[in-house]
Amino acid sequence: QRTIRVVAAVLEREGKYLITQRRATAVLPLMWEFPGGRVEAGETDQKALERELLHRLGVEIEVGKLISFVSHPYEHYVVDLFLYECTLVTETLEPRAVNAFKWVASSDFDQYPFTPADEASMNKLLGVS
């Protein structure tokens, strides 16, 4: 099985976290996740995160420390998901390559269907098992 390296940003504002909804045409359609995407060959995690957030939400970010890592097996591949603490450099978000985005309190995460890898890292992040 091939492994796909994926990076995601944990952006927090006034006790709420930014989550994005996948497009209807994407793999795992309309599920929620922390914003980010695949790391391309020869790219650092930081560069990939900056590129993905600009592409998906039209924002510039500053990438901070690695918060958590989970490896999640799907049917045809394994996703290695690296979660980074990030800060918004630009404040205005636009849903460019996502279906929607929301700022959500962690206590409300259970109201959103998250992708399995994101759910696993979220539980780790919140100390829920």
Side-chain angles (χ1 to χ4, degrees):
Q1 278 196 322
R2 67 192 178 105
T3 300
I4 300 170
R5 186 179 181 98
V6 174
V7 288
V10 175
L11 290 155
E12 187 258 339
R13 180 197 282 170
E14 294 163 17
K16 293 188 175 182
Y17 296 90
L18 182 66
I19 59 172
T20 55
Q21 187 179 38
R22 297 172 72 89
R23 290 175 168 176
T25 53
V27 176
L28 304 171
L30 303 177
M31 294 197 88
W32 292 84
E33 62 190 359
F34 292 111
R38 191 180 295 209
V39 179
E40 303 295 344
E43 204 175 33
T44 63
D45 287 2
Q46 286 75 10
K47 282 280 170 254
L49 263 178
E50 289 166 3
R51 175 181 51 74
E52 287 286 353
L53 268 86
L54 192 59
H55 170 69
R56 292 172 190 267
L57 295 161
V59 288
E60 286 178 39
I61 57 161
E62 201 171 275
V63 181
K65 69 178 196 290
L66 177 68
I67 301 175
S68 88
F69 160 75
V70 294
S71 188
H72 187 83
Y74 287 90
E75 197 179 341
H76 300 292
Y77 50 85
V78 174
V79 167
D80 281 354
L81 176 64
F82 295 83
L83 233 53
Y84 286 89
E85 196 173 76
C86 296
T87 314
L88 285 178
V89 175
T90 47
E91 290 292 316
T92 312
L93 296 112
E94 300 166 37
R96 289 184 181 175
V98 294
N99 196 55
F101 67 85
K102 276 188 169 168
W103 291 94
V104 177
S106 58
S107 56
D108 295 332
F109 280 167
D110 58 2
Q111 294 171 34
Y112 298 86
F114 277 87
T115 65
D118 277 81
E119 187 152 16
S121 61
M122 205 165 62
N123 291 342
K124 196 169 163 182
L125 193 69
L126 303 172
V128 180
S129 49

